[in-house]
Amino acid sequence: YFEKAMQQFEKQPKIDYPFMIRTLQDYARTIASENQKLANSLLVRAKAMTYHLPGKKEQLRQRAVIETQQGIILTLEGRVEEAEAMYKSALENAK
């Protein structure tokens, strides 16, 4: 069911991307405690969708949020150096 839902997500018009990004982020938060790899892949998809959002400022803001979440997941996995790079990128995108 999950794969089928993801395929449906990817067929949606770009106008729905803000909703889909938030949904993927919510799924990732829920899954993160049990499956960091899956949670991170959801966040990667969400981040890819930000490139289609209208307005550069909104794109960067959403990326900053997602990169912060990715940093948390990487920290949970013990990948501290990669997490620090995500946090640094999130700070740059949030400016």
Side-chain angles (χ1 to χ4, degrees):
Y1 290 112
F2 177 76
E3 265 314 304
K4 192 171 183 177
M6 291 308 300
Q7 289 169 3
Q8 287 298 106
F9 253 161
E10 290 168 357
K11 292 178 186 175
Q12 297 302 312
K14 290 181 180 170
I15 196 166
D16 293 333
Y17 275 15
F19 166 75
M20 290 187 287
I21 289 167
R22 283 191 301 276
T23 303
L24 289 170
Q25 289 174 289
D26 289 343
Y27 285 157
R29 271 195 292 276
T30 303
I31 293 167
S33 61
E34 297 198 18
N35 187 340
Q36 286 93 10
K37 189 174 182 180
L38 177 57
N40 198 44
S41 70
L42 293 173
L43 291 171
V44 168
R45 285 186 190 208
K47 190 158 56 171
M49 288 179 180
T50 65
Y51 289 92
H52 300 286
L53 292 174
K56 187 71 171 174
K57 191 171 184 177
E58 180 60 17
Q59 290 175 9
L60 293 173
R61 190 184 74 75
Q62 283 293 336
R63 271 182 232 141
V65 170
I66 293 167
E67 287 167 342
T68 301
Q69 291 172 317
Q70 286 180 296
I72 292 167
I73 290 170
L74 290 168
T75 302
L76 290 171
E77 292 178 339
R79 296 161 55 187
V80 179
E81 287 182 16
E82 291 175 73
E84 286 179 9
M86 276 299 167
Y87 294 137
K88 184 177 180 181
S89 180
L91 284 172
E92 286 299 314
N93 284 331
K95 289 183 180 177

